[in-house]
Amino acid sequence: MEELKWAVVGPGEIAHQFASAMQAEGRKIEVVGARNKTKGEAFAAEYGIGKVYDDFDALFADPEIDVVYISTPHSNHYEFMMKALQNGKHVMAEKAITVSSGELKDILLLAKEKGLIVMEAMTIFHMPLYAKLKEIAEERELGALKMIQVSFGSAKPADPTNRFFSMDLAGGALLDIGTYALSFARFFLNEKPSEVLSTAKKFETGVDEQSGIILRNDQDEMAVVSLTFRSKMPKRGIVAYENGFITVEEFPRADQATLTFTNGETEEITAGDTKMALQYEIRDMEKSIKAGENPLSELTEDVIDVMTQVRSEWGIKFPFETK
């Protein structure tokens, strides 16, 4: 397979990290799209990108592009992903990949019809540490999975005009940081949750400010997720088995964890490199395109289903939502 040609849509902070990861992989971005052409041109100059579009329809129609990386606010993801797929492009989109399961189902159906790959840029699903932790749980005979605890707190200023609290931009803790915590939990759960309980406190704009979510599946594996946008809380995940537990600090891009056995003995586990988080995403995306399938799709769908369910129960619907 020839080297894939990539485009970036939305030259924000995470796009800069992505472009740096592409450079570290010895790769080149061909095109960048930005509503503000001046911003797009500055991004292009920094990373040696040859084409700049301020017309997204023209970008998606560019016959030289194979893959589109979308890093706009997730309120735009559905529209841009559908257009990219309609034009025959593979798509990798930042988290949350969509705001609802209805949007994601449309996207995956179209991708299947077109023979294209769609992948969420969810670091947890790509960091080498996590695959290694699952292997170690079996090798060390930790027994059945019982309980997962995940916390993530971010101290955002109480600014109603900030995108984090905007209903129009699909703000709120759930879609911004909760997607990490739920992805962590779903990665270790052996099947999709069949029971979901939750409660949330809303910010003055109507988005969720903090919440607690409990998951349980038919194997009686459980997870407890704690989220807040108004106070700092450790990004910590704990996975408890019958014969020991795994602790992962700074879990979104983790490259190390601690295994604690029931007798108190500990073992440090390392794999991968935090600094390479987006490189692992790029590699997995290209591997999936080559194979013609995305093995992570089911995990992404399950996480979006949970977020859609709890947000519905909280009575939070964004103004632009149609699905």
Side-chain angles (χ1 to χ4, degrees):
M1 183 176 69
E2 292 185 4
E3 187 171 290
L4 294 165
K5 295 181 179 180
W6 287 74
V8 169
V9 175
E13 180 182 349
I14 191 66
H16 281 273
Q17 295 180 36
F18 177 82
S20 295
M22 286 285 283
Q23 288 182 335
E25 288 288 287
R27 304 297 306 285
K28 186 176 183 297
I29 298 169
E30 304 293 331
V31 172
V32 61
R35 283 199 171 94
N36 182 326
K37 193 166 187 179
T38 300
K39 187 175 180 181
E41 288 171 344
F43 187 89
E46 184 171 353
Y47 299 104
I49 299 170
K51 287 185 185 179
V52 180
Y53 286 100
D54 57 2
D55 179 342
F56 292 131
D57 288 338
L59 182 152
F60 295 131
D62 189 325
E64 296 184 7
I65 299 304
D66 302 307
V67 193
V68 178
Y69 168 72
I70 297 175
S71 56
T72 63
H74 33 243
S75 52
N76 301 123
H77 285 188
Y78 177 73
E79 174 192 358
F80 290 161
M81 292 175 76
M82 290 293 284
K83 286 182 178 180
L85 292 168
Q86 287 162 357
N87 282 276
K89 317 301 184 192
H90 303 286
V91 180
M92 184 164 73
E94 272 301 325
K95 55 79 192 170
I97 189 168
T98 59
V99 302
S100 71
S101 52
E103 288 185 349
L104 185 56
K105 282 179 173 58
D106 281 357
I107 286 165
L108 294 178
L109 180 61
L110 181 58
K112 185 176 181 180
E113 290 174 356
K114 296 277 190 176
L116 297 166
I117 296 298
V118 169
M119 183 177 286
E120 182 178 43
M122 168 50 66
T123 52
I124 288 164
F125 295 157
H126 306 281
M127 296 300 295
L129 177 71
Y130 288 104
K132 186 172 183 178
L133 289 177
K134 274 196 171 180
E135 291 175 3
I136 285 174
E138 295 181 7
E139 291 172 1
R140 305 297 190 274
E141 298 182 348
L142 295 184
L145 173 64
K146 292 299 182 180
M147 176 65 72
I148 299 170
Q149 293 182 341
V150 200
S151 62
F152 195 145
S154 184
K156 306 295 184 188
D159 179 3
T161 66
N162 190 293
R163 72 169 183 86
F164 293 117
F165 296 108
S166 169
M167 287 287 285
D168 291 331
L169 296 178
L174 180 68
L175 286 172
D176 194 83
I177 60 176
T179 185
Y180 284 112
L182 288 166
S183 293
F184 179 94
R186 180 63 188 91
F187 183 85
F188 287 100
L189 291 171
N190 286 300
E191 61 180 36
K192 180 179 181 177
S194 54
E195 184 178 359
V196 181
L197 303 173
S198 71
T199 186
K201 176 187 179 298
K202 294 180 183 178
F203 188 68
E204 62 187 79
T205 57
V207 303
D208 59 292
E209 176 185 314
Q210 62 185 35
S211 62
I213 302 169
I214 300 174
L215 310 175
R216 179 178 177 177
N217 63 23
D218 290 341
Q219 297 184 39
D220 289 329
E221 300 168 343
M222 297 181 68
V224 178
V225 176
S226 304
L227 307 170
T228 179
F229 242 5
R230 295 286 293 114
S231 62
K232 193 70 175 174
M233 193 162 57
K235 301 181 188 74
R236 178 181 297 138
I238 299 173
V239 187
Y241 297 87
E242 287 177 312
N243 303 317
F245 64 90
I246 296 167
T247 304
V248 188
E249 303 287 354
E250 299 295 325
F251 68 82
R253 298 186 181 187
D255 56 15
Q256 56 186 345
T258 302
L259 170 57
T260 304
F261 297 94
T262 51
N263 63 6
E265 292 181 4
T266 62
E267 179 180 341
E268 297 302 314
I269 312 296
T270 60
D273 185 342
T274 294
K275 297 184 182 67
M276 294 177 62
L278 272 65
Q279 290 175 246
Y280 299 132
E281 293 179 345
I282 294 165
R283 292 175 189 178
D284 281 352
M285 180 63 179
E286 296 201 339
K287 187 188 301 182
S288 287
I289 291 171
K290 185 175 181 179
E293 60 180 1
N294 175 14
L296 302 167
S297 180
E298 182 181 352
L299 299 181
T300 296
E301 287 185 82
D302 290 352
V303 171
I304 296 295
D305 283 350
V306 169
M307 294 198 295
T308 300
Q309 178 180 335
V310 298
R311 193 162 55 84
S312 175
E313 292 170 356
W314 299 342
I316 297 175
K317 184 173 182 178
F318 302 120
F320 59 84
E321 280 191 88
T322 59
K323 298 291 178 181

